[in-house]
Amino acid sequence: MKTVDKAMGLLRHFTPTQPEIGLSELARLADLDKATTRRILVSLSKHHFIEQNQITKAYRLGSGFLHLARVREATTPITAIANQTVDWLSEVTNETAHASVAGPSALITIAHKEPHRGTVVMIDPTEPLPFHATASGIAYLAFNDPEVMNAALRQQLGKYTEFTETNPDAIRQRVAKAKADGFFLNEHGFESDVAGLAMPYFNADGSAAGAIAVAMPITRKSEELVTKIKRNVAAASARITTAIGGVLHPNVQQLMR
């Protein structure tokens, strides 16, 4: 199992901004010796999860993930459902909407839609959404096992704006509030001058599977708009939850009234 953990650790260092990594650099990032790193890479290459650029000799993610992604989408079509729901949510709120699923250390955007208007919040779907710094992350943690939150708070908590909360005790308070309210409203936490309102959508066991959110420029935020967004995000959560066979939490369900 330790070898599997090391392999997963290596894979997490590949990002859209760093798609190729040399052996020495990858070993350094993963805090492994070069021989161990090479052995893991060779094993991953046999199953096409890693490939080597024959010119630069750097490593990159392979095509093996495409097969698994297709199997996942064919058996649990969350991406198609999320895209339909996000399109609807952006249309009814006239703001940017996005949906995400849980990754090992952050949420990953699987669908997003910006409205056709002058000033909007732009979403980079390749950028992970930190659990502690985003409305989606706090909402996700609020409706999961406490150990999920504990693990998230053991990570290095990045500071994305001057308002990003990195104090573990303060983050725990935010998570508790989100659980009681059924949603979380975050301002300036991940991007300056942006407010985001998020709720989870749920698995069959009642735990959060991911999050659905609306992001708006802080200058457009008003009590009336927040009330409208809250009601529609709750409806969007219900749509996705029902589609994947989940059970909507009462704290979210009551927000649709």
Side-chain angles (χ1 to χ4, degrees), residues 128-177:
L129 302 175
F131 291 127
H132 71 288
T134 61
S136 293
I138 296 294
Y140 172 79
L141 294 179
F143 292 87
N144 253 302
D145 188 281
E147 183 50 39
V148 176
M149 176 176 63
N150 294 335
L153 295 181
R154 284 195 292 267
Q155 302 178 51
Q156 183 174 354
L157 303 179
K159 192 86 171 173
Y160 298 93
T161 76
E162 61 178 309
F163 300 100
T164 303
E165 183 59 74
T166 58
N167 181 284
D169 290 336
I171 294 169
R172 291 178 192 279
Q173 291 177 10
R174 290 185 169 193
V175 170
K177 177 174 172 52

Side-chain angles (χ1 to χ4, degrees), residues 69-221:
R70 291 192 184 100
V71 172
R72 165 71 182 185
E73 188 59 22
T75 56
T76 310
I78 183 64
T79 302
I81 295 162
N83 272 305
Q84 294 169 10
T85 304
V86 160
D87 286 352
W88 170 81
L89 185 56
S90 179
E91 182 178 345
V92 296
T93 61
N94 203 25
E95 298 290 351
T96 299
H98 59 97
S100 54
V101 296
S105 57
L107 291 170
I108 309 301
T109 300
I110 56 171
H112 72 288
K113 180 68 178 293
E114 289 105 15
H116 298 292
R117 62 188 304 180
T119 303
V120 301
V121 176
M122 304 298 291
I123 297 292
D124 179 359
T126 67
E127 187 171 25
L129 302 175
F131 291 127
H132 71 288
T134 61
S136 293
I138 296 294
Y140 172 79
L141 294 179
F143 292 87
N144 253 302
D145 188 281
E147 183 50 39
V148 176
M149 176 176 63
N150 294 335
L153 295 181
R154 284 195 292 267
Q155 302 178 51
Q156 183 174 354
L157 303 179
K159 192 86 171 173
Y160 298 93
T161 76
E162 61 178 309
F163 300 100
T164 303
E165 183 59 74
T166 58
N167 181 284
D169 290 336
I171 294 169
R172 291 178 192 279
Q173 291 177 10
R174 290 185 169 193
V175 170
K177 177 174 172 52
K179 179 68 174 288
D181 294 343
F183 72 96
F184 191 71
L185 177 64
N186 191 34
E187 298 180 26
H188 310 288
F190 188 50
E191 294 183 73
S192 298
D193 303 320
V194 171
L197 190 152
M199 300 176 198
Y201 57 89
F202 298 89
N203 293 306
D205 64 359
S207 64
I212 180 87
V214 167
M216 71 202 98
I218 200 73
T219 53
R220 260 201 313 267
K221 175 180 166 284

